[in-house]
Amino acid sequence: MNIADSNGQPSAEDAKAFLDEAQARLEKMAQEASHASWVASTYINLDSQYTEALAMERYTALAVELAGEAAKFDNVDLDPETRRMLTMLKQGLVFPAPNDPEMTAELAQIGSKMQGMYGAGKYCPEETAGLDPTVKKEGKCYTLTEMGQMMANSRDPKLLKDLWVGWRKVAPPMKPLYERQVEIGNAGAKDLGYDNLSVMWRSKYDMPADEFSADMDNQWNKVKPLYEALHCHVRAKLNEHYGDKVAPASGKIPAHLLGNMWAQEWGNVYDIVKDDDMEAPYDLTELVVNSGMTEQDMVKTGEKFFTSLGFKPLPDTFWERSQFVQPKDRDVVCHASAWNLDNQDDIRIKMCINKTGEDLITVHHELGHNFYQRIYNQQPFLYKEGANDGFHEAVGDTIALSITPKYLKEIGLMDEIPGEDKDLGYLMQQALDKIAFLPFGLLVDKWRWQVFNGEVAPGDYNKAWWQLREEYQGITPPVERSEANFDPGAKYHIPGNTPYARYFLARIQQFQFHRALCEAAGETGPLHRCSIYKNKAAGEKLRNMLAMGASKPWPDAMEALTGERELDATAIVDYFQPLMVYLEEQNKDRDCGW
Ligand code: X8Z
Ligand code: ZN
């Protein structure tokens, strides 16, 4: 295409024509890459990785080429819409390669390889000593899904420690690959005009990069008192349960005791944390199991919530092509994800569903992605995204906040709505997931930003990781760690290259969305009792915002739903206010902090 006028200066029309063609080419290539990635994630083997890497290489090369061409319009006077699209074109890749075919291929190969290593990762205990004989079978290797279940349910500190250490053996071989990936990605970011990948990642939020990270810190400071109160109480309860030797009454909490492989959400230790008189109104896992629902029924339940709000039912192809259950005959990437393979209606989820309350919530999370993808599918390619990536993560979670006793009764999973005296139990259960997650949500990318900008060199990767884990979460590894370990690599989003600040944002935003939707639904009671199930007014508000995709800066989308243009932590703080009162009372004679 000729993009110069007779003076050699491209015009605004040229920019528009360039964008049209660029989007058409990207969309076609994205489709190819998605199909290859789907196969690589659901059949991990050499050939699928080869094919995926090749497709990713092509996609990256095209995106880099187009971003380079877009620079020709840097000094052209353009309307804001066209300028926004050009900026988005430049920011489209998570890991850009420099304009170098060899490095582009290398980067794509590294990506596929690490994803495969994580997906196929298993822990094969060498000795039975540390393992509970009821779970240890001779010669058996454990998948992450199996280990996740054991971390959730076992209260045997020896077994928990063994699994914690065992899973992390998957990561050290990734470290040299990760180092190289960062090197190439940084070179790519520089070619696009960013100082490094840290700046590039933080530039995707309609504000300067440093303002974005400052706002994250700002939000964290607002919710920190809640986290510290929860930490203090949970630490005391773990100490009561396990005793001083396993779970000390002061200082940091050992990371293997919190019911989750990464200590990122703590809902699985509710039984230890609750008071004797604090009965939870229900156990969601029990409700799921007792109802006799299949994995597919769990997804149907989620779909029904969305259709009750006026969303179109999922297409038949969703049911034909999704993966709900972990296949027995091959390795797959079990980490839950939602896909749109043709950027139209070929939406799918890929999960290894367990029949637990936790996974019922995750199903809603994933469906949130799919319904979002489908409702903005008429937007131009570059706008087929969330208003920002936090919005994308928040949709399904927002819906899941409406999984209240009232809703569960309505869909027949529960007989009676428990009285308000049970609310504290419900809030505690919610806080163990929602509040406990916040510092983890913040620190994963704090680590990556430091790695990308060179503040942390490869020789300090693990040390820096644990400094953040200790400072923000107040947890400690159950055994000594060193640079022979690469613990960040044992968390999906590091080898999987998924930015993580989005989940922190989503935790704050979903309470803002929930508050606004409950108001639209005319609910006047406490937010934790509100469910927007079947409410068409709330549904319409939500759908209108989602249909915008990324066509407007995110504050516009936020305003469309909530009337607010900023992140506002008061929504999450207010939601948990009754629990905060309880925690402060419980903690009054304790020495909190770490
Ligand atoms: O990765 C996820 C989703 C897929 S986007 C299952 N989440 C984060 C995690 O598991 O670490 C959801 C919550 C945080
Ligand atoms: Zn997600």
Side-chain angles (χ1 to χ4, degrees):
M1 182 176 40
N2 180 9
I3 51 166
D5 68 12
S6 50
N7 309 319
Q9 256 298 334
S11 68
E13 272 62 50
D14 293 332
K16 288 198 173 112
F18 164 75
L19 277 168
D20 284 347
E21 192 185 324
Q23 293 188 89
R25 291 174 71 192
L26 280 171
E27 185 145 16
K28 182 165 182 295
M29 198 71 96
Q31 204 166 321
E32 281 178 34
S34 297
H35 283 278
S37 279
W38 178 267
V39 177
S41 295
T42 54
Y43 287 81
I44 300 177
N45 61 41
L46 183 85
D47 305 301
S48 64
Q49 279 178 29
Y50 180 94
T51 312
E52 181 193 36
L54 200 60
M56 270 316 290
E57 176 189 337
R58 289 194 190 140
Y59 185 82
T60 303
L62 176 65
V64 167
E65 177 200 318
L66 293 170
E69 271 187 50
K72 292 184 183 134
F73 301 102
D74 281 356
N75 299 315
V76 179
D77 200 14
L78 299 172
D79 61 275
E81 167 98 350
T82 310
R83 179 58 65 205
R84 180 176 161 76
M85 275 201 162
L86 287 169
T87 305
M88 287 172 79
L89 179 63
K90 200 166 88 169
Q91 294 174 338
L93 289 167
V94 175
F95 257 69
N99 214 332
D100 173 304
E102 271 175 35
M103 281 205 253
T104 307
E106 190 183 353
L107 185 68
Q109 284 155 18
I110 290 174
S112 293
K113 190 156 185 201
M114 280 203 297
Q115 174 94 247
M117 287 163 85
Y118 187 94
K122 282 175 202 67
Y123 169 43
C124 309
E126 277 154 31
E127 37 159 349
T128 47
L131 282 171
D132 181 335
T134 55
V135 290
K136 169 63 190 160
K137 297 189 195 81
E138 215 52 57
K140 167 142 174 76
C141 294
Y142 293 88
T143 64
L144 181 57
T145 313
E146 290 170 317
M147 286 188 278
Q149 284 298 96
M150 291 195 271
M151 294 293 291
N153 299 320
S154 169
R155 301 292 175 250
D156 171 0
K158 235 170 118 192
L159 170 64
L160 293 171
K161 193 195 279 189
D162 194 21
L163 295 170
W164 192 96
V165 173
W167 168 243
R168 282 163 178 74
K169 291 184 180 162
V170 73
M174 294 174 191
K175 186 173 167 180
L177 295 170
Y178 193 74
E179 253 183 83
R180 180 67 181 148
Q181 191 185 38
V182 169
E183 216 171 82
I184 301 177
N186 264 335
K190 273 213 177 75
D191 275 7
L192 291 173
Y194 300 95
D195 281 353
N196 53 55
L197 211 44
S198 163
V199 179
M200 183 171 165
W201 277 27
R202 291 181 290 117
S203 294
K204 300 185 188 187
Y205 299 91
D206 301 299
M207 62 175 91
D210 288 345
E211 245 173 65
F212 171 70
S213 28
D215 195 29
M216 296 264 292
D217 287 337
N218 186 15
Q219 301 305 326
W220 165 237
N221 282 324
K222 292 185 184 153
V223 291
K224 204 165 146 194
L226 206 42
Y227 180 74
E228 284 178 350
L230 184 69
H231 179 282
C232 192
H233 185 61
V234 168
R235 183 177 62 191
K237 289 291 180 179
L238 289 170
N239 176 256
E240 268 174 39
H241 181 89
Y242 285 111
D244 290 342
K245 264 181 115 171
V246 173
S250 62
K252 302 175 192 91
I253 303 176
H256 61 307
L257 302 178
L258 290 157
N260 175 279
M261 185 57 91
W262 307 274
Q264 66 181 62
E265 282 164 344
W266 305 348
N268 290 321
V269 295
Y270 176 77
D271 58 319
I272 295 179
V273 173
K274 74 177 169 76
D275 273 334
D276 293 339
D277 58 356
M278 187 195 275
E279 225 183 293
Y282 60 90
D283 175 341
L284 194 52
T285 296
E286 235 169 71
L287 298 185
V288 167
V289 171
N290 293 347
S291 74
M293 45 168 120
T294 62
E295 293 83 357
Q296 172 155 327
D297 294 336
M298 290 167 73
V299 185
K300 289 265 181 210
T301 303
E303 181 198 29
K304 207 166 137 200
F305 203 124
F306 284 88
T307 53
S308 91
L309 297 174
F311 287 85
K312 266 198 300 190
L314 294 163
D316 289 346
T317 51
F318 171 89
W319 302 102
E320 291 154 14
R321 298 172 189 170
S322 287
Q323 177 202 289
F324 300 143
V325 182
Q326 180 161 17
K328 291 203 167 52
D329 59 342
R330 60 182 194 267
D331 290 323
V332 300
V333 178
C334 270
H335 191 88
S337 55
W339 301 56
N340 186 351
L341 283 90
D342 64 355
N343 282 300
Q344 287 300 321
D345 292 321
D346 189 356
I347 46 181
R348 313 177 192 176
I349 66 173
K350 178 187 63 56
M351 275 185 77
C352 301
I353 301 179
N354 290 307
K355 289 179 195 163
T356 63
E358 193 179 345
D359 273 8
L360 184 64
I361 304 286
T362 304
V363 162
H364 287 75
H365 175 96
E366 296 310 329
L367 289 179
H369 288 305
N370 278 157
F371 281 101
Y372 204 172
Q373 288 162 339
R374 195 159 185 228
I375 208 163
Y376 61 52
N377 70 5
Q378 296 308 308
Q379 294 283 351
F381 178 74
L382 288 166
Y383 292 162
K384 287 180 186 176
E385 296 280 352
N388 66 38
D389 54 7
F391 279 63
H392 231 300
E393 298 304 336
V395 178
D397 286 11
T398 301
I399 299 304
L401 286 177
S402 278
I403 302 183
T404 57
K406 182 176 96 178
Y407 161 75
L408 291 167
K409 178 164 186 253
E410 196 163 347
I411 64 165
L413 279 186
M414 239 170 114
D415 296 332
E416 281 308 317
I417 302 178
E420 282 179 30
D421 57 321
K422 299 280 194 291
D423 282 10
L424 221 42
Y426 179 77
L427 282 172
M428 177 65 89
Q429 181 83 58
Q430 287 283 60
L432 288 171
D433 286 330
K434 301 292 181 186
I435 301 295
F437 178 79
L438 290 162
F440 186 73
L442 183 70
L443 74 84
V444 173
D445 275 356
K446 272 191 182 286
W447 180 81
R448 268 193 291 216
W449 297 340
Q450 291 174 356
V451 164
F452 294 162
N453 73 14
E455 255 173 75
V456 169
D460 291 323
Y461 276 177
N462 218 48
K463 189 173 103 192
W465 175 255
W466 279 104
Q467 267 171 2
L468 290 165
R469 296 265 270 167
E470 296 191 3
E471 180 187 341
Y472 285 93
Q473 284 185 283
I475 61 167
T476 182
V479 298
E480 208 171 318
R481 308 309 274 166
S482 76
E483 293 307 321
N485 307 115
F486 180 49
D487 293 327
K491 173 68 197 164
Y492 171 77
H493 302 69
I494 302 297
N497 266 327
T498 311
Y500 213 83
R502 55 182 62 182
Y503 302 108
F504 177 82
L505 293 180
R507 289 288 147 131
I508 306 285
Q509 287 165 344
Q510 62 190 255
F511 287 89
Q512 285 178 267
F513 296 167
H514 182 64
R515 181 167 69 183
L517 291 169
C518 290
E519 199 185 311
E523 291 252 0
T524 50
L527 284 177
H528 62 268
R529 286 197 150 230
C530 158
S531 176
I532 61 164
Y533 184 56
K534 284 190 175 160
N535 192 285
K536 296 287 185 288
E540 191 183 342
K541 270 212 129 165
L542 180 61
R543 284 184 285 114
N544 285 344
M545 177 186 82
L546 300 184
M548 294 166 73
S551 62
K552 294 280 180 312
W554 70 261
D556 290 5
M558 172 75 88
E559 190 174 15
L561 177 57
T562 67
E564 300 149 15
R565 294 187 60 83
E566 290 179 358
L567 287 181
D568 181 4
T570 63
I572 186 170
V573 170
D574 289 353
Y575 182 100
F576 287 108
Q577 184 53 29
L579 183 75
M580 187 59 174
V581 172
Y582 167 84
L583 288 173
E584 278 175 342
E585 172 62 25
Q586 296 292 308
N587 289 336
K588 69 178 189 299
D589 298 322
R590 292 175 182 147
D591 202 2
C592 293
W594 54 87

